């Protein structure tokens, strides 16, 4: 395909992502299923069938923002408090699962050698907490469970990709144990150090940038600045991106103004959602070519059977580790994993869905080894696709039922914390108004005007926190009125612009101000 065809094909894939997301919402099925099916349909189109994405593009374009985003929006405080269980899950469980699945593949497919089997095991070992977290947050599962899952998903990507890189290297150049350990040490330490340096540099340079557009551009290129040079230097780009995201996210947005923060969050959410969805469409696009290449060496039914066995091993092995092995930690001195609750262990064990990162790793398997075609690549990608789709279907669809059966649905705990925190913030605001009035920084009239706003907010919050139906109805009515007021102001602004009474720059400025009010404190009408 030439450049023009690649651009058109990319646009077609993006349109498929939009259609797939809309269809999944209406059908109430996992979007991954719809996206893969759409990809398969697109694969029938001759010129789309020839679309091929090299493994290098998958690694360099898709992985850095996905990994950095997960690290950036993690909770450093919660992860520090649960460091031990997260470390055991992300390292111990991931490695055991990877080698367990690799053993099954090695035994059931004799043509696949150990390095290739380990590479695939590493690809499908890391869990994706995005799907699980969405369900857990919706039903109000204990925060500790979500923190462990999100922390595990963050760290196990780095563990899996490091193992994957070593396995791919061994496929072309077998590594002796000593050399492998030295390489592993340099890859890990180099990635961690470089990620720390990138974080320090961004924290140093960001306060000096005053242009919001440049600030946003720096935020967008940060994961690639962390990942690409580290990989080129022979270090772990994944660990570098994780460290950069974790450090920068832990520092908040620093000096970034509210407009940049709001815009950045929207851009990042859109970018990550698009990249994740595109991976599933690309999997569907490649399935036809994968199946064709597979049938040259294996029976499709045989490979499907192997894929189902690997999926079963992935699910069962994780559950066994959570139910049988993790409890043994109580007999190990100075090791308390804080996952002694049986119901929580069951939920954590059953929340092992695989996602976009596993697909990206599998699709990045090399097409050639030592100058010769890697004939098993198609079969391994097929197995990875079945594992990802199987876990999303089996575990994703049954997780809500399991949570209800175990009695781990506690309502919207996050909403309660939001109300409590908002109450404390409003009290702090009133205290600051009193201080400013006492010091003479503001006059009495201004102080009373501001004080009335936050006094009204406190009254609303108290009613919502006491679960008073009348207060809730008044609150919802206030939200509706506020929305109508914003819309009335927006309609009048548009009419002023159409009448030629204001120029385009004034229209854009006031429209942005309305957007800020509508997305900011609109719930309280201030």
């Amino acid at each position: 395909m030439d450049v023009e065809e690649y651009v058109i094909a990319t646009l077609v894939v993006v349109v498929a992502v939009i259609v797939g997301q809309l269809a999944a919402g209406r059908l109430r099925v996992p979007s991954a299923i719809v996206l893969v099916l759409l990809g398969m349909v697109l694969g029938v189109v001759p010129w789309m069938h020839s679309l091929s994405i090299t493994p290098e593009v998958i690694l360099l374009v898709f992985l850095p923002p996905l990994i950095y985003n997960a690290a950036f929006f993690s909770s450093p405080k919660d992860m520090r408090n649960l460091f031990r269980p997260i470390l055991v899950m992300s390292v111990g469980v991931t490695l055991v699962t990877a080698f367990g699945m690799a053993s099954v593949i090695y035994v059931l497919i004799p043509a696949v050698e150990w390095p290739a089997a380990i590479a695939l095991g590493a690809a499908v070992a890391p869990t994706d907490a995005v799907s699980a977290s969405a369900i857990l947050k919706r039903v109000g599962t204990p925060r500790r469970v979500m923190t462990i899952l999100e922390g595990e998903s963050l760290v196990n990507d780095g563990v899996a990709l490091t193992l994957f890189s070593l396995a791919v290297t061994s496929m072309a150049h077998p590594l002796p144990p000593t050399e492998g350990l030295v390489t592993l040490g340099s890859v890990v330490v180099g990635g961690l150090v470089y990620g720390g340096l990138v974080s320090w540099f961004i924290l140093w340079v960001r306060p000096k940038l005053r242009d919001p557009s440049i600030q946003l551009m720096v935020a967008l290129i940060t994961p690639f600045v962390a990942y690409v040079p580290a990989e080129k230097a022979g270090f772990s780009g994944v660990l570098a991106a994780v460290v950069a995201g974790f450090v920068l996210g832990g520092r908040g947005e620093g000096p970034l103004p509210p407009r940049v923060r709001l815009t950045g969050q929207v851009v990042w959410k859109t970018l990550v959602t698009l990249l994740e969805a595109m991976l599933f469409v690309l999997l569907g696009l490649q399935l036809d070519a994968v199946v064709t290449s597979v049938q040259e060496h294996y029976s499709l039914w045989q490979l499907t059977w192997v894929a189902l066995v690997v999926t079963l091993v992935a699910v069962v092995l994780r559950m066994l580790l959570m139910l049988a092995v993790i409890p043994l930690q109580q007999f190990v001195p100075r090791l308390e994993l804080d996952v002694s609750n049986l119901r929580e262990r069951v939920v954590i064990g059953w929340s092992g869905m695989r996602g976009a990162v596993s697909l990206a790793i599998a699709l990045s398997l090399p097409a050639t080894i030592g100058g010769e075609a890697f004939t098993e690549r198609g079969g391994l990608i097929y197995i990875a696709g079945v594992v990802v789709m199987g876990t999303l279907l089996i575990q994703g669809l049954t997780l809500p039922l399991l949570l209800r059966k175990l009695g781990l649905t506690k309502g919207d705990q996050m909403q309660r914390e939001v109300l409590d925190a908002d109450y404390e913030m409003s009290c702090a605001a009133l205290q600051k108004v009193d201080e400013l009035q006492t010091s003479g920084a503001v006059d009495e009239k201004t102080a009373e005007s501001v004080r009335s706003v936050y006094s009204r907010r406190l009254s609303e919050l108290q009613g919502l926190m006491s679960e008073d139906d009348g207060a809730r109805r008044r609150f919802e009515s206030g939200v509706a009125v506020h929305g109508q007021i914003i819309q009335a102001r927006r309609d009048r602004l548009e009419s002023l612009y159409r009448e030629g009474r204001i120029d385009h720059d004034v229209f854009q400025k006031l429209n942005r101000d309305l957007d800020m009010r509508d997305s900011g404190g609109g719930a309280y009408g201030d």
Side-chain angles (χ1 to χ4, degrees), residues 36 196 207 262 266 296 298 362 378 381 383 412 420 431 475 495-496:
V36 171
L262 289 174
V266 172
E296 296 177 0
Y298 309 101
I381 291 177
I383 293 173
D412 200 339
D420 290 339
Q431 182 179 351
F475 172 78
S495 67
L496 290 172

Side-chain angles (χ1 to χ4, degrees), residues 30-61:
S31 58
I33 307 297
V34 180
L35 293 170
V36 171
L37 292 176
L38 282 175
M40 294 173 65
V41 172
L42 292 177
V44 178
V45 181
W47 61 275
M48 286 294 293
H49 181 75
S50 61
L51 176 66
S52 61
I53 307 295
T54 64
E56 292 76 16
V57 170
I58 296 292
L59 285 175
L60 295 179
V61 174

Side-chain angles (χ1 to χ4, degrees), residues 162-244:
T162 301
L163 179 61
F164 176 83
S165 299
L166 291 175
V168 170
T169 302
S170 298
M171 290 163 63
H173 309 287
L175 293 175
T178 304
E179 183 180 348
L181 290 175
V182 172
T183 302
L184 176 63
S186 64
V187 165
V188 171
V189 174
L192 294 175
V193 172
Y194 179 71
L197 292 175
V198 170
S199 306
W200 173 82
F201 177 75
I202 297 297
L203 288 173
W204 174 77
V205 76
R206 197 162 59 180
K208 298 173 174 54
L209 304 175
R210 300 303 178 188
D211 188 333
S213 299
I214 296 178
Q215 291 175 333
L216 187 55
M217 282 188 276
V218 169
L220 288 173
I221 68 169
T222 297
F224 301 99
V225 171
Y227 183 92
V228 177
E231 286 290 322
K232 294 300 181 181
F235 303 142
S236 172
V238 173
L239 291 179
V242 167
V243 170

Side-chain angles (χ1 to χ4, degrees), residues 29 41 44 70 81 88 104 135 154 203 206 222 237 248 284 308 395 398 403 426 502 505 518:
V29 297
V41 172
V44 178
N81 294 338
V88 170
V104 172
I135 298 171
L154 171 62
L203 288 173
R206 197 162 59 180
T222 297
L248 295 174
L308 293 175
Q395 296 177 304
T398 57
L403 289 167
S426 299
I502 57 175
D505 290 338
D518 204 10

Side-chain angles (χ1 to χ4, degrees), residues 73-296:
F73 290 103
S74 62
S75 171
K77 175 177 173 291
D78 291 340
M79 290 185 65
R80 280 195 300 269
N81 294 338
L82 293 168
F83 174 74
R84 288 177 177 174
I86 289 174
L87 184 64
V88 170
M89 294 289 296
S90 58
V91 178
V93 174
T94 299
L95 291 177
V96 171
T97 305
F99 283 104
M101 289 187 289
S103 301
V104 172
I105 295 167
Y106 181 74
V107 170
L108 297 181
I109 309 180
V112 176
E113 298 182 353
W114 260 117
I118 293 174
L120 182 62
V124 292
T127 57
D128 180 16
V130 174
S131 301
S133 295
I135 298 171
L136 297 174
K137 289 177 181 177
R138 189 170 65 244
V139 300
T141 306
R143 179 182 298 276
R144 181 170 66 255
V145 174
M146 291 189 291
T147 301
I148 291 175
L149 287 172
E150 291 170 355
E152 175 199 6
S153 176
L154 171 62
V155 180
N156 67 17
D157 290 340
V159 173
L161 271 160
T162 301
L163 179 61
F164 176 83
S165 299
L166 291 175
V168 170
T169 302
S170 298
M171 290 163 63
H173 309 287
L175 293 175
T178 304
E179 183 180 348
L181 290 175
V182 172
T183 302
L184 176 63
S186 64
V187 165
V188 171
V189 174
L192 294 175
V193 172
Y194 179 71
L197 292 175
V198 170
S199 306
W200 173 82
F201 177 75
I202 297 297
L203 288 173
W204 174 77
V205 76
R206 197 162 59 180
K208 298 173 174 54
L209 304 175
R210 300 303 178 188
D211 188 333
S213 299
I214 296 178
Q215 291 175 333
L216 187 55
M217 282 188 276
V218 169
L220 288 173
I221 68 169
T222 297
F224 301 99
V225 171
Y227 183 92
V228 177
E231 286 290 322
K232 294 300 181 181
F235 303 142
S236 172
V238 173
L239 291 179
V242 167
V243 170
F246 192 73
V247 173
L248 295 174
R251 296 292 184 92
E253 298 288 351
L256 296 183
R259 291 182 187 275
V260 178
R261 287 202 297 269
L262 289 174
T263 304
Q265 290 170 5
V266 172
V267 169
W268 268 115
K269 183 178 180 180
T270 303
L271 176 63
V272 169
T273 301
L274 178 62
L275 291 176
E276 289 179 340
M278 287 181 69
L279 283 171
F280 287 101
V281 175
L282 291 174
L283 174 64
L285 272 170
Q286 294 195 17
L287 271 181
D288 182 60
V290 166
V291 169
T292 301
S293 65
V294 162
Q295 290 178 327
E296 296 177 0

